[in-house]
Amino acid sequence: MENKKKKKLSKGAIVLIIGIIIITIPVIVFLGIIISAAINTGKPVVGTRFDNDLNPAITSSVTSSLEKSISNLSDVDNCTIELRSAQYRVAVDTKDNLSSERIQELAVEVYNIVNKELPVSTYFTATDSKKMYDLTINLYNFVNGEDDNMIFYILTKNSQMEAYTLQCVSEPLDEDLAKELRGEIVESQESQ
């Protein structure tokens, strides 16, 4: 019988084997994630992100009633309301000749009409245990970006906010910055 000698691994070989094992584990996990994603590509994600939230729900009959109530205001041409992904969007087309102050007052009137039908404390205020709807009311006299007489207000009440905010987005908050961005300041400095 021959006596076989066992070969010992050198320290370098042991370090190399351990290094390969350490590198192989994350590579296998990463490849598993890539293969899983490739297999599930094109399939819809099933589920809802609002389980046990948005209660009570806003019904289409209440939405129709609100559209009629807001459209019947004397300074309103048209009103459309849509509910998208827990955001209640009210779009109000006002009379073209209204002043900025009147549209601002009208924004508060529309908010009060919505609050009367859908109490803000119930439908548009979240609690620790459930999410609720966000409210956005857009009021505009006409939509024409080229006309300087366009007036556009946005009233926002997110469910996490205590009170609504109202902003005229057709007027810049910083007129000098707006002129600089439009290039008006540069032109006036070059002409001097």
Side-chain angles (χ1 to χ4, degrees), residues 118-167:
L118 300 168
V120 170
S121 60
T122 303
Y123 288 92
F124 302 105
T125 305
T127 64
D128 292 337
S129 61
K130 67 179 176 180
K131 298 176 186 172
M132 290 307 290
Y133 299 95
D134 295 335
L135 174 64
T136 302
I137 301 173
N138 298 310
L139 294 99
Y140 50 90
N141 56 352
F142 53 86
V143 180
N144 183 355
E146 300 298 320
D147 195 331
D148 291 336
N149 296 324
M150 183 187 92
I151 302 169
F152 197 123
Y153 275 89
I154 298 177
L155 184 145
T156 305
K157 167 61 175 89
N158 293 333
S159 62
Q160 299 296 322
M161 297 168 62
E162 290 184 25
Y164 66 82
T165 61
L166 181 61
Q167 181 181 5

Side-chain angles (χ1 to χ4, degrees), residues 172-190:
L173 294 175
D174 185 347
E175 185 66 36
D176 292 335
L177 177 61
K179 285 181 180 179
E180 183 179 331
L181 292 173
R182 289 189 302 256
E184 294 173 7
I185 291 179
V186 174
E187 292 172 3
S188 65
Q189 290 175 350
E190 289 174 357

Side-chain angles (χ1 to χ4, degrees), residues 17-35:
I17 292 171
I18 291 172
I20 290 173
I21 292 171
I22 290 174
I23 291 173
T24 305
I25 292 171
V27 168
I28 291 171
V29 170
F30 181 72
L31 288 175
I33 292 170
I34 296 292
I35 291 169

Side-chain angles (χ1 to χ4, degrees), residues 29-72:
V29 170
F30 181 72
L31 288 175
I33 292 170
I34 296 292
I35 291 169
S36 171
I39 290 171
N40 292 323
T41 297
K43 295 180 183 174
V45 177
V46 180
T48 178
R49 60 185 238 214
F50 297 113
D51 286 338
N52 302 320
D53 293 329
L54 305 178
N55 189 13
I58 297 176
T59 63
S60 59
S61 62
V62 172
T63 298
S64 297
S65 171
L66 275 172
E67 279 181 342
K68 289 176 187 171
S69 297
I70 295 168
S71 293
N72 288 335

